[in-house]
Amino acid sequence: MARNNRIALDGQSLVTPDSVSKELLTQNESNSQRDLAVAEAEVALILNLAHQQFLAGGAPATIIHAVAGRLHQMRRKYDYSVWTELLPLIQHHPVADYFLEDPFTRWSFEKPRGYSGDAQLLDFIYGHDSVADPLAAASPLGTALYDYTREASSSVAVRERRDILTRYVDDIAQEKGSETEILTIAAGHLREANRSQALASKGIKRWVALDQDPLSIGSIARDFAGTCVEAVDGSVKDLLARSHDLGQFDFVYAAGLYDYLTDKVAIKLTKRCLDMLKPGGTFLFANFAEDIAVDGYMESFMNWTLLLRSKADMWKIINASIAPSLAESEVFHGQNHNIVYGVIRKL
């Protein structure tokens, strides 16, 4: 099986396949790799033990929980330059074939749509009907592993993120009235809209869903036909280049995009989003947090590399994007601290 630890956001954005790893390596380039031999031995013990447990018929949930926890500890223990050297070793170890029986892990690793964190991947987290076929085709081991990965702390946080977005949409629509206009950036399948009372009651004038993936655009156009939702094909680069005249909005948000953006690009995009707000409008962006406990598993077996951010990192983006006198801003964690949110309300 060909395995590739490169990541991608899309073919048009400013994020190249290796940009997340390069950003992190640049931050740590002064650190040596003298611990590499020790780290290689440590990870070999972890993987060999897991492999033996699978062969002996051990409980899948117990095995994956232990591996995820130990990889998280290693991810924190060693310099990122050392960690990146370990990824090919992990991904080519025989135990990887067991974890890849989980359809969620396999989809993330193989990236059928060509980039990380695509909308179909999120549907595995949501347990949406669109993933019913691969789930039905999974082996008993794959099903047992999926039962674990779908309930991992990161997955729980993503479902909470969906519900937070829905709540913001409905609260803002209630505040602004039936003329409310919304922009979603990197909309995916726009699953948060399925739960919006404002959308269901026609309490929104316009909801623009921007995404660079034609499959996601097609899904939105099909699922929300006859509503105020408008699917628009566009990327981060398009937004920054002002290629679309999208107008002004009461609420603009980007839920899963900033996980792949360097600070420089994140600040540029935030400024652009603020430009598209009406007076009193709100911008929300979310990011996987440094507290995430399954980062090692995600970056290795799932081939899903992220730029994790702290509250201070989110404030850095906000403060570089708008003067405090021009906005009311806040940064907060979700319930399990796996996702951090930045909210800017333009005065």
Side-chain angles (χ1 to χ4, degrees):
M1 180 185 302
R3 293 179 182 168
N4 177 5
N5 67 357
R6 292 162 64 84
I7 65 164
L9 175 63
D10 63 69
Q12 301 180 52
S13 76
L14 300 183
V15 181
T16 59
D18 292 321
S19 61
V20 173
S21 292
K22 286 181 178 178
E23 172 72 5
L24 292 169
L25 285 171
T26 298
Q27 294 171 358
N28 295 284
E29 62 186 358
S30 63
N31 297 320
S32 72
Q33 295 191 28
R34 62 183 179 273
D35 294 330
L36 180 58
V38 175
E40 288 177 340
E42 185 176 344
V43 79
L45 287 173
I46 293 169
L47 301 180
N48 289 340
L49 175 60
H51 192 207
Q52 293 168 6
Q53 290 172 331
F54 275 125
L55 290 173
T62 301
I63 299 171
I64 190 174
H65 181 73
V67 169
R70 289 164 184 159
L71 291 180
H72 170 68
Q73 292 171 359
M74 291 195 69
R75 175 70 173 78
R76 291 291 181 264
K77 179 179 178 180
Y78 292 104
D79 183 88
Y80 191 75
S81 63
V82 174
W83 172 250
T84 57
E85 293 289 336
L86 298 177
L87 294 180
L89 302 178
I90 297 171
Q91 292 167 352
H92 288 85
H93 192 279
V95 78
D97 290 330
Y98 290 91
F99 290 120
L100 289 174
E101 290 197 36
D102 168 22
F104 176 28
T105 297
R106 177 175 290 275
W107 184 278
S108 179
F109 186 88
E110 294 184 342
K111 305 190 189 330
R113 293 196 181 183
Y115 62 98
S116 295
D118 64 75
Q120 194 70 24
L121 179 74
L122 297 185
D123 280 347
F124 280 102
I125 293 175
Y126 300 145
H128 191 267
D129 290 344
S130 66
V131 299
D133 288 345
L135 293 182
S139 67
L141 171 60
T143 299
L145 291 170
Y146 174 70
D147 288 343
Y148 179 89
T149 55
R150 185 175 181 267
E151 296 304 325
S153 58
S154 56
S155 297
V156 172
V158 168
R159 291 195 292 274
E160 182 194 29
R161 182 181 68 187
R162 173 199 58 195
D163 296 340
I164 287 174
L165 297 175
T166 302
R167 185 166 67 247
Y168 265 88
V169 166
D170 286 352
D171 288 349
I172 289 171
Q174 183 175 19
E175 175 190 350
K176 302 295 184 179
S178 59
E179 293 299 301
T180 299
E181 296 178 272
I182 298 167
L183 170 62
T184 306
I185 301 170
H189 291 159
L190 201 69
R191 298 301 185 204
E192 59 271 19
N194 295 122
R195 299 182 170 218
S196 170
Q197 293 298 316
L199 180 64
S201 63
K202 299 183 179 180
I204 298 171
K205 177 182 179 181
R206 185 171 67 118
W207 190 334
V208 176
L210 184 82
D211 202 279
Q212 52 79 34
D213 188 333
L215 293 176
S216 293
I217 292 296
S219 173
I220 294 171
R222 180 190 66 245
D223 293 346
F224 296 99
T227 73
C228 67
V229 175
E230 175 188 356
V232 175
D233 184 3
S235 68
V236 174
K237 184 176 180 180
D238 292 333
L239 279 179
L240 296 182
R242 301 177 183 265
S243 300
H244 298 285
D245 184 11
L246 299 175
Q248 300 291 108
F249 300 90
D250 299 285
F251 183 39
V252 177
Y253 68 91
L257 179 61
Y258 278 63
D259 297 312
Y260 310 96
L261 302 183
T262 63
D263 284 354
K264 181 179 179 180
V265 179
I267 292 166
K268 286 183 178 179
L269 180 59
T270 301
K271 289 179 178 179
R272 176 71 184 110
C273 290
L274 294 173
D275 287 342
M276 292 188 288
L277 286 181
K278 301 176 186 177
T282 299
F283 173 61
L284 178 150
F285 64 107
N287 211 110
F288 272 114
E290 289 185 331
D291 298 320
I292 189 169
V294 290
D295 52 353
Y297 183 89
M298 291 172 70
E299 291 188 0
S300 57
F301 292 113
M302 300 187 81
N303 191 21
W304 189 0
T305 304
L306 304 163
L307 280 172
L308 306 178
R309 287 190 165 98
S310 64
K311 278 189 172 183
D313 295 328
M314 301 292 274
W315 276 116
K316 178 181 177 181
I317 293 171
I318 291 172
N319 291 332
S321 301
I322 190 168
S325 61
L326 300 178
E328 295 177 348
S329 304
E330 65 171 320
V331 173
F332 63 93
H333 278 113
Q335 188 170 7
N336 70 6
H337 279 228
N338 274 220
I339 293 179
V340 61
Y341 299 83
V343 180
I344 306 171
R345 185 179 179 111
K346 199 172 180 180
L347 297 177

PDB file of all heavy atoms in Angstrom, residues 43 59 74 93 155 157 161 177 206 303 306 310 318:
ATOM      1  N   VAL A  43       9.043   4.316  19.942  1.00  0.00           N
ATOM      2  CA  VAL A  43       7.853   4.114  19.122  1.00  0.00           C
ATOM      3  C   VAL A  43       7.775   2.671  18.625  1.00  0.00           C
ATOM      4  O   VAL A  43       6.677   2.116  18.471  1.00  0.00           O
ATOM      5  CB  VAL A  43       7.816   5.123  17.953  1.00  0.00           C
ATOM      6  CG1 VAL A  43       8.730   4.708  16.803  1.00  0.00           C
ATOM      7  CG2 VAL A  43       6.391   5.284  17.435  1.00  0.00           C
ATOM      8  N   ALA A  59      -8.806  -6.487  22.825  1.00  0.00           N
ATOM      9  CA  ALA A  59      -9.934  -5.580  22.595  1.00  0.00           C
ATOM     10  C   ALA A  59      -9.469  -4.374  21.795  1.00  0.00           C
ATOM     11  O   ALA A  59      -8.565  -3.650  22.235  1.00  0.00           O
ATOM     12  CB  ALA A  59     -10.518  -5.129  23.929  1.00  0.00           C
ATOM     13  N   MET A  74       4.483  11.120  23.096  1.00  0.00           N
ATOM     14  CA  MET A  74       5.690  11.266  22.285  1.00  0.00           C
ATOM     15  C   MET A  74       5.656  12.556  21.484  1.00  0.00           C
ATOM     16  O   MET A  74       6.668  13.238  21.325  1.00  0.00           O
ATOM     17  CB  MET A  74       5.840  10.070  21.344  1.00  0.00           C
ATOM     18  CG  MET A  74       6.171   8.774  22.044  1.00  0.00           C
ATOM     19  SD  MET A  74       6.744   7.515  20.894  1.00  0.00           S
ATOM     20  CE  MET A  74       8.337   8.205  20.416  1.00  0.00           C
ATOM     21  N   HIS A  93       4.617   0.596   9.636  1.00  0.00           N
ATOM     22  CA  HIS A  93       4.659  -0.528  10.554  1.00  0.00           C
ATOM     23  C   HIS A  93       3.475  -1.461  10.272  1.00  0.00           C
ATOM     24  O   HIS A  93       2.384  -0.994   9.932  1.00  0.00           O
ATOM     25  CB  HIS A  93       4.594  -0.025  12.001  1.00  0.00           C
ATOM     26  CG  HIS A  93       4.920  -1.073  13.015  1.00  0.00           C
ATOM     27  ND1 HIS A  93       3.990  -2.004  13.432  1.00  0.00           N
ATOM     28  CD2 HIS A  93       6.072  -1.347  13.705  1.00  0.00           C
ATOM     29  CE1 HIS A  93       4.551  -2.795  14.336  1.00  0.00           C
ATOM     30  NE2 HIS A  93       5.814  -2.418  14.521  1.00  0.00           N
ATOM     31  N   SER A 155     -13.343  14.080  17.941  1.00  0.00           N
ATOM     32  CA  SER A 155     -14.608  13.907  17.226  1.00  0.00           C
ATOM     33  C   SER A 155     -15.762  14.527  18.008  1.00  0.00           C
ATOM     34  O   SER A 155     -16.643  15.179  17.421  1.00  0.00           O
ATOM     35  CB  SER A 155     -14.872  12.418  16.983  1.00  0.00           C
ATOM     36  OG  SER A 155     -13.892  11.847  16.150  1.00  0.00           O
ATOM     37  N   ALA A 157     -15.524  17.008  19.938  1.00  0.00           N
ATOM     38  CA  ALA A 157     -15.351  18.458  19.799  1.00  0.00           C
ATOM     39  C   ALA A 157     -15.854  18.957  18.453  1.00  0.00           C
ATOM     40  O   ALA A 157     -16.408  20.062  18.359  1.00  0.00           O
ATOM     41  CB  ALA A 157     -13.887  18.827  19.986  1.00  0.00           C
ATOM     42  N   ARG A 161     -18.653  21.643  17.762  1.00  0.00           N
ATOM     43  CA  ARG A 161     -18.407  22.800  16.897  1.00  0.00           C
ATOM     44  C   ARG A 161     -19.566  23.023  15.944  1.00  0.00           C
ATOM     45  O   ARG A 161     -20.025  24.158  15.752  1.00  0.00           O
ATOM     46  CB  ARG A 161     -17.111  22.594  16.117  1.00  0.00           C
ATOM     47  CG  ARG A 161     -16.714  23.763  15.220  1.00  0.00           C
ATOM     48  CD  ARG A 161     -15.423  23.458  14.476  1.00  0.00           C
ATOM     49  NE  ARG A 161     -15.602  22.400  13.490  1.00  0.00           N
ATOM     50  CZ  ARG A 161     -14.611  21.839  12.794  1.00  0.00           C
ATOM     51  NH1 ARG A 161     -13.359  22.214  12.989  1.00  0.00           N
ATOM     52  NH2 ARG A 161     -14.870  20.896  11.911  1.00  0.00           N
ATOM     53  N   GLY A 177     -32.913  39.745  12.394  1.00  0.00           N
ATOM     54  CA  GLY A 177     -34.177  39.647  11.680  1.00  0.00           C
ATOM     55  C   GLY A 177     -34.050  38.959  10.331  1.00  0.00           C
ATOM     56  O   GLY A 177     -33.006  38.397   9.981  1.00  0.00           O
ATOM     57  N   ARG A 206     -30.030  35.457   3.099  1.00  0.00           N
ATOM     58  CA  ARG A 206     -29.022  34.899   2.195  1.00  0.00           C
ATOM     59  C   ARG A 206     -27.964  34.184   3.017  1.00  0.00           C
ATOM     60  O   ARG A 206     -27.481  34.696   4.014  1.00  0.00           O
ATOM     61  CB  ARG A 206     -28.380  36.029   1.379  1.00  0.00           C
ATOM     62  CG  ARG A 206     -27.396  35.563   0.312  1.00  0.00           C
ATOM     63  CD  ARG A 206     -26.988  36.738  -0.593  1.00  0.00           C
ATOM     64  NE  ARG A 206     -26.217  37.737   0.105  1.00  0.00           N
ATOM     65  CZ  ARG A 206     -24.950  38.074  -0.195  1.00  0.00           C
ATOM     66  NH1 ARG A 206     -24.334  37.472  -1.204  1.00  0.00           N
ATOM     67  NH2 ARG A 206     -24.320  39.004   0.493  1.00  0.00           N
ATOM     68  N   ASN A 303      -2.789  10.453   8.993  1.00  0.00           N
ATOM     69  CA  ASN A 303      -2.128  11.350   8.038  1.00  0.00           C
ATOM     70  C   ASN A 303      -2.833  12.714   7.994  1.00  0.00           C
ATOM     71  O   ASN A 303      -3.065  13.283   6.936  1.00  0.00           O
ATOM     72  CB  ASN A 303      -2.114  10.704   6.642  1.00  0.00           C
ATOM     73  CG  ASN A 303      -1.209  11.440   5.659  1.00  0.00           C
ATOM     74  OD1 ASN A 303      -0.318  12.174   6.062  1.00  0.00           O
ATOM     75  ND2 ASN A 303      -1.460  11.247   4.382  1.00  0.00           N
ATOM     76  N   LEU A 306      -2.152  19.066  11.557  1.00  0.00           N
ATOM     77  CA  LEU A 306      -2.856  20.304  11.865  1.00  0.00           C
ATOM     78  C   LEU A 306      -1.905  21.309  12.513  1.00  0.00           C
ATOM     79  O   LEU A 306      -0.938  20.934  13.161  1.00  0.00           O
ATOM     80  CB  LEU A 306      -4.004  20.026  12.846  1.00  0.00           C
ATOM     81  CG  LEU A 306      -5.034  18.981  12.428  1.00  0.00           C
ATOM     82  CD1 LEU A 306      -5.827  18.518  13.637  1.00  0.00           C
ATOM     83  CD2 LEU A 306      -5.968  19.551  11.373  1.00  0.00           C
ATOM     84  N   SER A 310      -3.226  27.774  20.675  1.00  0.00           N
ATOM     85  CA  SER A 310      -3.642  28.078  22.043  1.00  0.00           C
ATOM     86  C   SER A 310      -4.528  29.320  22.025  1.00  0.00           C
ATOM     87  O   SER A 310      -4.700  29.982  20.998  1.00  0.00           O
ATOM     88  CB  SER A 310      -2.411  28.343  22.907  1.00  0.00           C
ATOM     89  OG  SER A 310      -1.739  29.515  22.436  1.00  0.00           O
ATOM     90  N   ILE A 318      -6.220  37.774  16.254  1.00  0.00           N
ATOM     91  CA  ILE A 318      -7.235  38.822  16.402  1.00  0.00           C
ATOM     92  C   ILE A 318      -6.585  40.197  16.521  1.00  0.00           C
ATOM     93  O   ILE A 318      -6.964  41.157  15.823  1.00  0.00           O
ATOM     94  CB  ILE A 318      -8.119  38.537  17.635  1.00  0.00           C
ATOM     95  CG1 ILE A 318      -8.989  37.298  17.389  1.00  0.00           C
ATOM     96  CG2 ILE A 318      -9.000  39.749  17.965  1.00  0.00           C
ATOM     97  CD1 ILE A 318      -9.747  36.828  18.617  1.00  0.00           C
TER      98      ILE A 318
END
